Amino acid sequence: MPLKLWRKPLDADKIKVLHGEVYIIKERCKGGKGCNFCIEYCPKEVLEESEEFNKKGFHPPRVKDENNCVLCGFCEAVCPDFAIFTVEKNCEGGC
Amino acid sequence: MSEELHPFETFLRKEMIPHIWCDGCGNGIILNSYLMALKDLNIDFNKVVTVAGIGCIGRVSGYTKTDSYHTTHGRAVAFATGVKLANPELKVAVISGDGDLFAIGGNHFIHAARRNVNLQVICANNFTYGMTGGQYGPTTPLDAWTSTTPYGNVEHPFNLIHLAAASGAVYVARWTTLHVRRLTESIKKALQKEGFSFIEVITPCPEIYGRYNKMRTGIDMMNWFRKASEIRNYSDPAKAEITPERIVLGEFVDIEKPSFGRLLHGMTAKVQEKMKRGNR
Ligand SMILES: Cc1ncc(C[n+]2csc(CCOP(=O)(O)OP(=O)(O)O)c2C)c(N)n1
Ligand code: SF4
Ligand code: SF4
Ligand code: SF4
Ligand SMILES: [Mg+2]
């Protein structure tokens, strides 16, 4: 039996969990064993390695599970190559 | 993929991107953080000059869409001093390497700090001369291997935090490229201070420093930073030496003191006024 929620948190209707949409500019990325900072330091393990090559022979990351992205923006901040960024997902119809 | 653009697209000189830095190099993170600080503060890019010296990190001046100045080796602070005095309206940020700022450029650094020239100096400390092949320099840790210390370094490194604080900087902080959020906050703070501020950024150079020291990748180096980092805000700068076991981070100095520009321009105005009266 699940615990009955006897009190609704006062700000329950104000807190909005943000969801992110991840964009990867593959040709700019220097991913692979050498970088992969975004994969390693994403707190939600949204990204994973891929075997795909870009023109320069690097492996851009792949989105594993975008639903987990909380739009913290750390991947964007830690990317040395301006190759990844996130924008807020429109969740009007539910996410 | 849609047509969404990277938020810093218009802050970069597009024809120069992708940059030349190696995969796993931290220099791009420093550039990223600097642009974020400028964006957060809503600073007009036409009112900013980014000054760099020579070295891998020196290329930063070519990548930002602010006005910029790629100077000669060791002289970034000297050129920046000139820019700031000639046009006090401008924000003048120096972004340069540990070798550039503290080996050949060491004297410019300490005297600009002593005079409290209104500059924001960001040092990318990768513990080596990256661009010229990984020679040891004034920040290379004791015992570290480099291309010119094949048996280990026998020289003691500078503690840059202590050096900057003792030289008179009004704001002194140290972060690593893994602490990019706090780094951005520090850059924002520094950009709003009057006087000489200094931020040391510990940054990975897996290509030519890490490879000699059992850290082949950027992640290896960043994981070392994570393991060794201790945040100790306003702790004693003298105790902020970097060892393999301990990298002390934080803000160390945040004081107020009139800047060189303010004192100099004030004095000039006073003397001119006096001469005008004397001539009457
Ligand atoms: C007058 C002069 N001496 C020496 C050099 C060679 N040189 C170029 S970059 C550099 C060192 C750069 O080291 P650092 O400032 O730490 O930058 P990094 O490459 O590590 O980012 C040296 C010695 C030069 N360009 N000019
Ligand atoms: S951090 Fe940037 S350059 Fe590195 S793998 Fe991720 S997207 Fe590519
Ligand atoms: S925004 Fe945060 S949660 Fe989303 S992918 Fe990037 S690092 Fe992961
Ligand atoms: S040699 Fe080192 S500092 Fe220079 S670009 Fe490569 S990783 Fe960066
Ligand atoms: Mg260096």
Side-chain angles (χ1 to χ4, degrees):
Chain A
M1 268 281 286
L3 268 179
K4 210 172 129 198
L5 196 65
W6 61 276
R7 190 178 72 88
K8 201 173 142 214
L10 285 174
D11 50 0
D13 44 353
K14 279 194 224 134
I15 290 181
K16 197 172 125 205
V17 179
L18 296 177
H19 292 277
E21 233 171 291
V22 184
Y23 291 88
I24 298 163
I25 306 170
K26 289 183 183 173
E27 289 311 321
R28 260 190 207 170
C29 170
K30 292 184 187 143
K33 288 272 172 299
C35 182
N36 286 353
F37 290 153
C38 56
I39 301 173
E40 180 79 10
Y41 301 115
C42 166
K44 293 291 182 184
E45 294 179 34
V46 171
L47 305 157
E48 64 181 358
E49 290 178 44
S50 81
E51 274 84 59
E52 184 186 349
F53 285 103
N54 66 14
K55 280 201 200 100
K56 294 211 159 160
F58 292 108
H59 299 291
R62 178 169 57 212
V63 177
K64 181 168 63 178
D65 192 352
E66 197 169 67
N67 291 330
N68 287 342
C69 174
V70 290
L71 200 69
C72 71
F74 197 75
C75 53
E76 184 178 315
V78 85
C79 174
D81 282 89
F82 306 93
I84 188 167
F85 62 100
T86 46
V87 296
E88 192 179 341
K89 206 177 211 161
N90 184 353
C91 287
E92 265 162 30
C95 264
Chain B
M1 281 284 302
S2 81
E3 298 82 57
E4 288 281 352
L5 288 179
H6 191 282
F8 293 168
E9 211 61 44
T10 55
F11 296 0
L12 295 161
R13 289 182 208 228
K14 249 176 123 176
E15 66 284 7
M16 304 285 282
I17 302 293
H19 54 58
I20 62 155
W21 295 318
C22 308
D23 46 335
C25 177
N27 288 343
I29 306 177
I30 300 175
L31 171 59
N32 197 332
S33 182
Y34 173 63
L35 295 176
M36 183 61 121
L38 292 176
K39 183 184 173 220
D40 279 357
L41 292 177
N42 210 2
I43 294 181
D44 178 358
F45 268 48
N46 291 318
K47 292 266 186 296
V48 183
V49 185
T50 309
V51 185
I54 303 297
C56 294
I57 184 69
R59 307 281 305 196
V60 78
S61 52
Y63 301 136
T64 58
K65 244 202 182 144
T66 66
D67 280 347
S68 57
Y69 206 162
H70 199 175
T71 71
T72 53
H73 193 33
R75 314 296 174 219
V77 168
F79 281 91
T81 301
V83 173
K84 184 68 195 178
L85 291 181
N87 191 348
E89 297 285 288
L90 299 171
K91 288 247 175 252
V92 185
V94 173
I95 307 181
S96 208
D98 48 315
D100 185 84
L101 287 167
F102 294 101
I104 186 169
N107 259 316
H108 293 297
F109 182 90
I110 57 173
H111 292 287
R114 176 182 61 76
R115 299 200 289 183
N116 201 24
V117 184
N118 202 346
L119 301 175
Q120 283 72 49
V121 180
I122 300 169
C123 174
N125 183 3
N126 57 6
F127 309 110
T128 192
Y129 296 159
M131 178 157 267
T132 46
Q135 296 84 353
Y136 81 102
T139 57
T140 308
L142 193 67
D143 296 329
W145 292 288
T146 69
S147 63
T148 48
T149 56
Y151 304 106
N153 184 21
V154 294
E155 295 187 20
H156 299 281
F158 271 139
N159 167 353
L160 299 182
I161 296 304
H162 194 26
L163 180 72
S167 302
V170 294
Y171 180 77
V172 179
R174 179 196 279 149
W175 300 108
T176 82
T177 45
L178 192 60
H179 300 77
V180 54
R181 297 286 192 211
R182 299 184 202 241
L183 171 62
T184 304
E185 289 311 308
S186 268
I187 298 175
K188 277 158 67 176
K189 219 162 165 179
L191 283 165
Q192 294 173 95
K193 276 206 80 85
E194 173 182 333
F196 190 93
S197 51
F198 175 65
I199 302 171
E200 176 183 7
V201 192
I202 308 298
T203 176
C205 168
E207 179 63 25
I208 205 83
Y209 181 79
R211 72 157 71 212
Y212 290 109
N213 292 283
K214 302 194 183 116
M215 293 175 281
R216 295 295 311 216
T217 66
I219 287 181
D220 289 344
M221 293 207 71
M222 296 263 268
N223 285 346
W224 166 46
F225 303 163
R226 178 152 68 177
K227 209 168 123 214
S229 288
E230 273 180 39
I231 298 176
R232 293 267 179 276
N233 284 313
Y234 301 104
S235 61
D236 183 357
K239 296 194 178 123
E241 306 103 336
I242 295 173
T243 65
E245 293 76 37
R246 191 161 171 264
I247 305 173
V248 187
L249 303 178
E251 295 180 304
F252 295 86
V253 176
D254 189 355
I255 56 170
E256 306 294 331
K257 193 160 62 173
S259 68
F260 179 62
R262 179 190 289 272
L263 295 172
L264 178 72
H265 298 309
M267 179 63 80
T268 310
K270 215 159 89 185
V271 172
Q272 278 170 346
E273 185 58 32
K274 209 168 157 183
M275 287 174 76
K276 238 194 278 169
R277 258 187 276 130
N279 287 346
R280 238 190 280 141

